Amino acid sequence: MLQRALAIREKALGPEHALVVELLNSLANTYKGRSEYAKAEPLYQRALAIREKTLDPEHPNVALSLNNLANLYMAKGDYVKAEPLYQRSLAIREKTLGPEHPDVANSLTNLAILYVSKGDYAKAEPLYQRALAIQEKTLGPEHPNVAGFLNTLANLYRDKGDYAKAEPMLQHALAIQEKTLGPEHPEGAASLNDLANLYAAKGDVAQALAIQVRANKVSEHLLGINLATGSERQKLAYLATRVDETDRSVSLHVRAAPNDATARNLATTTILQRKGRALDATADSIGTLRRRFNAQDQALLDQWQDTNAQLARLVLGGPLPQMTPAEHQQQMKALEEQKEKDEAQISRRSAEFRAQSQAVTLQAIQAALPPQTALVEFYSYRPFNAKSTKRSEQFGPPHYVAYVLHQAGEVQWVELGAAQALDAAAAKLRQALRDPKRSDVTALARALDAQVMQPVRKLLGETKHVLLSPDGALNLIPFAALVDEEKRYLVERYSLSYLTSGRDLLRLQTHSQSTQGPLVLADPDFGGATGPAVPPEAATTGRAFDLSQAYFTPLPGTAQEAQALQALLPQATVLTRDKATEAALKQANSPSILHIATHGFFLEEATVSSASDGQRLLLQQANAPTPGLKLENPLLRSGLGLAGANLRQSGTDDGILTALEVAGLNLWGTKLVVLSACDTGVGEVKTGEGVYGLRRALVLAGSETQVMSLWPVSDKGTRDLMTEYYKALQAGQGRGEGLRQVQLKLLTDPKRAHPYYWASFIQSGEWANLEGKR
């Protein structure tokens, strides 16, 4: 609405009219409030430039624009740019409005906040005190703005260690906000968090916990409102504003009150409510529209899918022959903006019809756990030091903690140590698992197990089935390949399934119906190469990706795999060679099973990845540095090769199906998706949000269960594994347990005992058999 209003005013009144400046500021404020600083900054700068040009240089509105731009730099942590802007704004306001004007108080406060952030309390305190006196005199003692000033001055005293002055100020500020703004206002949530921090600094853990519980309850209400609209990127930006609160909640338990049940339950509940939240909110929006499925909604989803496809072709294919690099970048930018608008529209439309979702509570999660099943919720948090006087030093380096939930009983937990050490051990193991010739894989698997799962095993008891919700680098580890104290692989002890969050247990209670039988795509006819293959070592970092030189080699094993599946699933539609196309996949409508046997890939952001052995996917980067074309979106760096991929043409498609396009498939009601390809389970790891790649895309598309690989896999070995897996499913075994039984069988074969052969594939999501029986 703001964008539309701005366009009208610019056209009707001219680009430098005062009413245009008003809207520039309003739009910039909106972007800043959603942490979209890159969009907000040029709008603030333009507004300031217009006012400086059209008004007296000491006009109050110039001061307002200076203040707005400085606030943005403060939010970004750029104090050097912010300070002179604040000082200039204050000088103008004092001269033109008088020393006791509310706007002067605002400038004083902002400058004081900057000095506190720099640790200069001596400069900050008198500014705060003067600002508070002005506000109380001009607005009255119970105005919400007064509460804000009380809050900031109290935080100064807390940082100085003067808790006796800080506590009554924070309590008074909170009372004013709850009375005048209501109990669920963002400013009240901020005051509650500040008060909880104060009590934690004082060592009053009971009070800190009581207040933090209230703060988190308000934040959960606000999350529900803000995540109901906007694109996924906007959802992630908003969630980022709540990370500190989550880490403080976990720290209260782990560091301040390890034996307190209230602290433990607060930490666990907060993690369950917030981990993977953007994925849930986005999938919910798409799913709601899919289930309504009227003509208008279908048109919106089709438009979103088409935008994703255009963007994928333009980014991965490079500029068209008639395009200049500038035109290419401009068109890509336009498509990115259209994609965001489509996603925001999907969220808005689905929010109108979304049923009230089940509340995420410990009781609800535990009730969804079957007997002899445990949920292990890993979380990477930054330890919070409430007594730190420097805001920049309040949070320490990340640590891992694991919370274990059973169907009944208290939540159990264990801290696992510094994330840096665990991530390094995980990286070493991943590298060894990708090479069947490595003889040190057992030692590395044992080392990581000692750090991650050995402490957890003490809490599992008689558990046979473990639901793993990893975080950080642990998302890319096959826990089945870890080795315990008795030198046994964990696959020999447990049936393992993966979840993005324990909250998935609530979503998995609702099932959609498939509308067509199984669909198998295999052995695509990739076509001839478009040019000479370039080895990956010829690439240089920091440039744009270009898949125009990618070459996908034939996969004869997938043809045999398709034949075997046709025998096991006689009702399946099997598409091979020139029929295994993007178009066929995009036209699929909720198949009961989707099996894709082809080449998969994931490109690191700053380097070109290459596959080995049977895959030989060779990639090169563009010839000239073009930062604007950098593939920052991980859903554009992950995908599958289908018919025509080497020719970059398959009807109106290019033969390369990116994860971004996979997210637009209609898989609501699809029980199982198997990506029988290389690297389909990897992607860009975002702490607290899982893996951004095909894994995430399949959840967004609506599939119940995903079976994916974590490294390049053997063509023949995968064929045999998949054939045995479907035999297990046909025999009624679970989607997770069936995979485990195949892995156990492969372990007995001396030629395939190395985990390279059997541990690559993991099962994520619903673990029941195809009939839904757990």
Side-chain angles (χ1 to χ4, degrees), residues 367-637:
L369 282 166
Q372 290 192 313
T373 299
L375 167 67
V376 182
E377 191 75 59
F378 294 96
Y379 185 69
S380 175
Y381 78 103
R382 297 164 302 148
F384 177 68
N385 179 8
K387 292 187 177 182
S388 175
T389 58
K390 289 186 178 180
R391 300 291 173 91
S392 60
E393 298 175 1
Q394 286 183 336
F395 291 96
H399 278 58
Y400 281 108
V401 63
Y403 289 90
V404 180
L405 283 74
H406 298 269
Q407 190 181 61
E410 296 294 328
V411 176
Q412 298 171 286
W413 70 282
V414 60
E415 184 167 13
L416 303 176
Q420 185 176 9
L422 269 68
D423 290 350
K428 288 180 181 177
L429 176 59
R430 282 188 64 211
Q431 194 64 32
L433 287 168
R434 297 171 73 92
D435 184 356
K437 297 177 183 178
R438 289 280 292 263
S439 59
D440 58 346
V441 66
T442 302
L444 293 171
R446 175 71 200 106
L448 183 60
D449 177 87
Q451 294 174 278
V452 176
M453 281 302 290
Q454 185 172 332
V456 170
R457 266 195 301 279
K458 299 173 183 177
L459 311 178
L460 293 178
E462 300 300 315
T463 297
K464 302 298 182 185
H465 183 207
V466 180
L467 301 175
L468 297 164
S469 172
D471 200 11
L474 299 181
N475 277 289
L476 302 180
I477 289 298
F479 280 69
L482 298 184
V483 176
D484 67 14
E485 306 92 318
E486 300 172 9
K487 297 185 178 180
R488 289 193 300 167
Y489 289 112
L490 294 198
V491 71
E492 300 177 78
R493 295 187 63 162
Y494 305 109
S495 183
L496 303 169
S497 300
Y498 294 79
L499 303 173
T500 301
S501 161
R503 194 175 57 257
D504 290 353
L505 290 166
L506 303 181
R507 178 174 54 83
L508 292 173
Q509 291 176 329
T510 303
H511 301 281
S512 301
Q513 292 299 315
S514 57
T515 57
Q516 67 180 76
L519 175 62
V520 177
L521 278 80
D523 190 27
D525 181 1
F526 300 118
T530 57
V534 178
E537 58 267 22
T540 307
T541 60
R543 298 182 181 180
F545 294 111
D546 179 9
L547 282 179
S548 63
Q549 298 295 321
Y551 180 65
F552 296 84
T553 57
L555 294 171
T558 66
Q560 298 164 10
E561 189 175 318
Q563 291 173 358
L565 293 184
Q566 178 80 79
L568 291 168
L569 304 170
Q571 72 277 34
T573 299
V574 178
L575 303 176
T576 60
R577 305 305 293 157
D578 61 345
K579 293 183 174 62
T581 63
E582 272 192 84
L585 196 49
K586 290 175 179 177
Q587 290 164 10
N589 186 20
S590 302
S592 58
I593 295 173
L594 176 61
H595 184 98
I596 306 175
T598 184
H599 282 302
F601 64 87
F602 174 71
L603 304 170
E604 299 292 341
E605 185 175 359
T607 61
V608 173
S609 299
S610 67
S612 58
D613 300 323
Q615 187 182 24
R616 207 164 73 85
L617 172 60
L618 299 176
L619 307 161
Q620 76 168 60
Q621 291 180 304
N623 293 325
T626 48
L629 301 183
K630 187 178 181 183
L631 295 188
E632 295 178 352
N633 186 344
L635 297 189
L636 281 168
R637 291 187 265 120

